[in-house]
Amino acid sequence: MATTAIEWATHTMNHQAGCTKASPACKHCYAIPLSVRIKNMGQSPRYDGVTNNDLKNPKWTGVIKADLTKLRSNFAEIKNATKSRRTFYGSMTDLFHEALEVDSPELKALADEVRGLDGNCKADQVVMILTKRPQKLLDWQQHYFPQGLPKEVWVGATIEDQKRADERMPILGQVKASVRYLSCEPLFERVVLKEEWLANTEWIIAGGESGHHARVADPDWFRSLRDQSVGAGIPFHFKQWGEWDDRMIRIGKKKAGRVLDGRTWDEHP
C-alpha cells in the first residue's frame, strides 16, 4: 500500500492495470504515462501490454490485466492495518471497465474480497472506489451485494460537466452503499445537481486540473458546487485549484493551493 498526496485519501492501492478513455476528464489521464513508467521498471507484469509503451505519446491499448494474488494481499493488508485509513482503491484503472463482465473472474474476486471486509478489519477502514462507468458498478453491486455494500466501501463517479452529471448521477444514486460521492475533478463547467440526486449523495469533491496541459476552470464553477453542497447539508471537499489560481492565472499547482474564498474545505462524511 502506498501513501498518497491525494487530499481526500491517505493511501492508494491497485491490483488491476489498463483502461480506455471514457469522457473529457480522461483527456490528460495521469495513469497512462505512469503505467508506461511502471512497465519499464519491470516489477509489475500486469502493466505489460496495457499501453503502447511510448512515453512521448502514451496511449491505452484497451487491454485490462488483473493480478488476483495482489488483490488478495491488498485486502489482507487493509483488514490487518491497525490504524484507520482512507484507501483509494483502483487509482490506476477503472475497476468497472466495460471489458470485464460482471461474472468475470476479476469482478467475482473483487466481490469476494470486498465481502471479507465486513466486520473483519482491525481498525475502521474506508475503501473508496471511483468509476466513470457507474452502470457496471451498479450491475456488480446488485449481482453480488443485493442488500448493499459493506459500510467500509464508498463508491463514487467522476462528474466533470453537466452531460456526465445527467448520465451518471441517476445511476450512482441507485447503488446501495453507505457513501456515494462525486469527484468533480477536473471540472469543466458549472454543474447543476438535481434535488433527487443530492438526496442520494453523501460527499462532493471538486477540483481543477493539474499537469502540463491543464485546462482552466472558472472559480464560480467551484463556488456553485460548494453552495449546492452546503445547501443540501453534504460534506464538501475542495481538492485543489490545479495549475490555475482563483484569478484564472497559471501559477502552478503548489502556489495555487486549495483555499476557496478564504477557507480550506476539507470535509468528509
Side-chain angles (χ1 to χ4, degrees), residues 134-153:
Q135 184 62 58
K136 181 62 70 68
L137 164 64
L138 176 61
D139 294 344
W140 177 80
Q141 177 261 301
Q142 291 177 334
H143 185 78
Y144 293 104
F145 302 94
Q147 302 306 312
L149 289 161
K151 63 179 176 58
E152 293 87 353
V153 179

Side-chain angles (χ1 to χ4, degrees), residues 57-70:
N57 186 29
K59 296 180 180 179
W60 295 122
T61 62
V63 173
I64 308 295
K65 289 187 176 180
D67 181 341
L68 301 188
T69 299
K70 181 66 172 174

